[in-house]
Amino acid sequence: MNILVKKVMARIEGWKYRLLSKAGRACLIQTEDVKHILNIGLPTHSQNDSWLWLGEESGNFSLKLAYRLVRNRSFASQSNWIWKDLWNSPLHSRLKLLGWQTLRNALPTRQKIAGIFPIQNSLCPLCDEEEESSFHLFWQCQYAKALWFGSLWGIRTEGTPCRDWNDWMIWFRDGANRPLNLCFVEFLLGALCTFDIIWKVRNKLIHNSIKLGMAEAIQQVCRLFQDHSTTSHATLRKERITIAPPEDWISCFTDIATASNHAFGAAVFRDCNNRLRAAITNRLHVTDPTLAEATMLVIAAEYAAKNNFHKVLFFCDNSPVVQYLNSSLSENNHQKLAGVTDRFRSNVHSIVSFKLCHIPRSQKFCAHNMAKWAKLQNVTGEIDLGSIEEGVFSNEEEWNPGAKGIG
């Protein structure tokens, strides 16, 4: 029954959907319900329907985890990728800590202090207009707006639809919303340098009654960014090693780009000389990143087997997917990945030799860029390599759709 439901729901679009219940009465299916149905990891063989606890990968209820979810409800609402992007970046530890404090709203702003004990004034000390939260202080305050526009990239903060730090991270993680040819790590570095200077200006005003002039603040942001850029770029260059397979082997890099009710996946194949052999894309009727990443690996393995790629190195940046697909089902149990694991192993069965490895995104931008391109162009199947602009296949940097037209 669950397979039939998923096949039906995969073809449904719109805000609300009308289905008939067993009693013949109409019921409404909300968009969130559709997403949950589409993100069910279907098994490869028939089995009885059962209840699953979404808090555990195995689907089994755990009172201990339920307690943790209740206690850490606000923390759990923060997307995990935000913390991965921050802590895995090659930035200085002090800036990472500031970023964590800011995104977790852990800085001792007047709003934060007022939530602990009464204070006389909770307004922002830099503009004296609104309550001082970290988001207001670093992004919405008139002083912050002027600093963002006057330093680094001339960004107008009022031109973004961001209401909080989660929206802010999602907005600027999209390359189309960042300044031209600016990767996310460089943007994050500039943002944290800006936050650092604003925080220092704010504290100096409160404790010493001295407000730093805008011209000097702009200079300090630019100077701090330049100082940290040298170290960060050196680290990035060390990380971006060339991953070439042994002779007679093929490298396969996979990645996804998610949308509201589906995802696009891409697989890029290169030979031992790092030359492009093939690229495929596919529209996936799932939105869960883990399930989408695993599904794209299944599709890539199927393509490799059909095209007689006898020795293949598969690379994926999703650690849980790599770990689970490399383990035996007796060792682990994952409610979403059990079915795709069976299909992946079935597809690689005809491949003479294969290996699945984890890789950071900074070393496989080609697959990430291809997935973004496929989503933008709504293209699936095997791609004519001559129809793609060169920047899409770059392994060194993220492709910006606005930089060039599609060639």
Side-chain angles (χ1 to χ4, degrees):
M1 184 64 182
N2 54 357
I3 298 178
L4 176 61
V5 171
K6 186 164 185 177
K7 286 182 177 179
V8 172
M9 298 310 295
R11 292 166 174 79
I12 294 178
E13 295 182 357
W15 169 244
K16 291 184 178 180
Y17 314 99
R18 191 170 294 275
L19 301 176
L20 290 177
S21 65
K22 290 183 179 180
R25 294 173 296 181
C27 60
L28 294 176
I29 306 297
Q30 302 289 342
T31 300
E32 277 303 308
D33 296 326
V34 173
K35 289 182 179 180
H36 287 308
I37 293 174
L38 295 180
N39 287 323
I40 296 174
L42 296 181
T44 54
H45 55 277
S46 299
Q47 65 182 49
N48 295 328
D49 290 338
S50 60
W51 290 101
L52 294 176
W53 169 247
L54 298 180
E56 292 279 7
E57 291 183 349
S58 64
N60 299 321
F61 175 76
S62 166
L63 186 60
K64 181 178 181 180
L65 183 60
Y67 173 76
R68 288 180 181 174
L69 289 175
V70 173
R71 288 290 304 270
N72 302 318
R73 189 174 181 180
S74 61
F75 177 77
S77 65
Q78 194 84 18
S79 302
N80 286 332
W81 62 260
I82 291 180
W83 309 121
K84 291 180 181 179
D85 279 359
L86 178 63
W87 295 117
N88 291 336
S89 67
L91 305 182
H92 193 279
S93 299
R94 188 179 67 82
L95 291 180
K96 290 182 182 181
L97 179 59
L98 175 61
W100 178 85
Q101 290 176 309
T102 301
L103 298 177
R104 289 283 295 128
N105 195 28
L107 287 171
T109 60
R110 287 179 170 178
Q111 180 194 61
K112 191 73 174 180
I113 296 173
I116 302 174
F117 56 82
I119 59 175
Q120 292 182 345
N121 183 10
S122 63
L123 294 178
C124 171
L126 296 181
C127 68
D128 206 34
E129 294 178 357
E130 296 183 27
E131 187 178 40
E132 187 200 30
S133 65
S134 62
F135 191 70
H136 168 82
L137 178 66
F138 294 141
W139 191 249
Q140 297 174 321
C141 173
Q142 294 300 325
Y143 191 94
K145 289 180 179 180
L147 188 58
W148 274 99
F149 182 71
S151 62
L152 300 179
W153 311 296
I155 293 178
R156 295 185 180 274
T157 66
E158 64 271 14
T160 64
C162 307
R163 298 168 298 176
D164 52 36
W165 289 123
N166 195 68
D167 289 348
W168 186 86
M169 286 287 283
I170 293 174
W171 176 260
F172 285 109
R173 201 170 185 245
D174 188 339
N177 298 326
R178 296 195 300 270
L180 193 63
N181 297 325
L182 185 70
C183 73
F184 182 71
V185 171
E186 290 175 308
F187 171 78
L188 190 59
L189 171 61
L192 293 177
C193 289
T194 305
F195 295 169
D196 188 46
I197 297 304
I198 293 176
W199 187 244
K200 289 177 179 177
V201 170
R202 176 257 191 201
N203 289 335
K204 193 171 185 178
L205 176 61
I206 290 179
H207 301 299
N208 301 325
S209 300
I210 299 175
K211 188 173 184 179
L212 189 67
M214 183 54 59
E216 178 61 25
I218 291 173
Q219 289 182 7
Q220 289 192 15
V221 169
C222 295
R223 192 181 307 122
L224 185 62
F225 177 74
Q226 185 62 40
D227 291 343
H228 281 280
S229 292
T230 304
T231 304
S232 298
H233 289 168
T235 305
L236 278 172
R237 284 194 294 271
K238 290 179 181 179
E239 288 184 351
R240 289 176 179 173
I241 60 175
T242 302
I243 299 180
E247 189 174 354
D248 297 332
W249 282 70
I250 296 291
S251 290
C252 174
F253 302 88
T254 62
D255 207 347
I256 62 165
T258 58
S260 58
N261 59 354
H262 62 276
F264 272 89
V268 177
F269 297 86
R270 295 179 181 269
D271 62 18
C272 59
N273 296 314
N274 206 34
R275 294 175 299 193
L276 287 167
R277 289 289 300 273
I280 61 172
T281 61
N282 202 289
R283 181 185 172 109
L284 312 172
H285 292 293
V286 296
T287 58
D288 179 81
T290 299
L291 183 57
E293 294 268 18
T295 303
M296 196 59 220
L297 276 170
V298 171
I299 296 170
E302 181 182 17
Y303 180 88
K306 287 183 177 179
N307 287 271
N308 298 317
F309 294 163
H310 298 301
K311 300 178 180 179
V312 185
L313 286 173
F314 295 96
F315 292 104
C316 175
D317 66 358
N318 190 305
S319 297
V321 170
V322 173
Q323 182 179 7
Y324 189 75
L325 265 63
N326 278 330
S327 67
S328 65
L329 288 177
S330 59
E331 295 173 355
N332 203 350
N333 187 26
H334 195 299
Q335 57 176 314
K336 292 181 180 178
L337 300 183
V340 290
T341 300
D342 288 343
R343 290 192 288 274
F344 178 77
R345 291 172 179 168
S346 175
N347 288 337
V348 298
H349 182 72
S350 58
I351 298 176
V352 176
S353 297
F354 82 94
K355 190 173 182 180
L356 174 59
C357 307
H358 177 262
I359 185 176
R361 176 173 289 182
S362 60
Q363 295 177 232
K364 67 171 195 66
F365 272 119
C366 57
H368 175 65
N369 293 340
M370 176 54 70
K372 284 178 58 178
W373 178 86
K375 175 185 173 184
L376 182 66
Q377 301 296 315
N378 195 26
V379 174
T380 61
E382 187 168 358
I383 306 301
D384 177 9
L385 301 182
S387 66
I388 312 298
E389 65 172 275
E390 183 179 357
V392 175
F393 290 108
S394 171
N395 248 345
E396 298 298 319
E397 60 184 4
E398 187 167 358
W399 171 65
N400 187 342
K404 293 181 180 179
I406 304 299

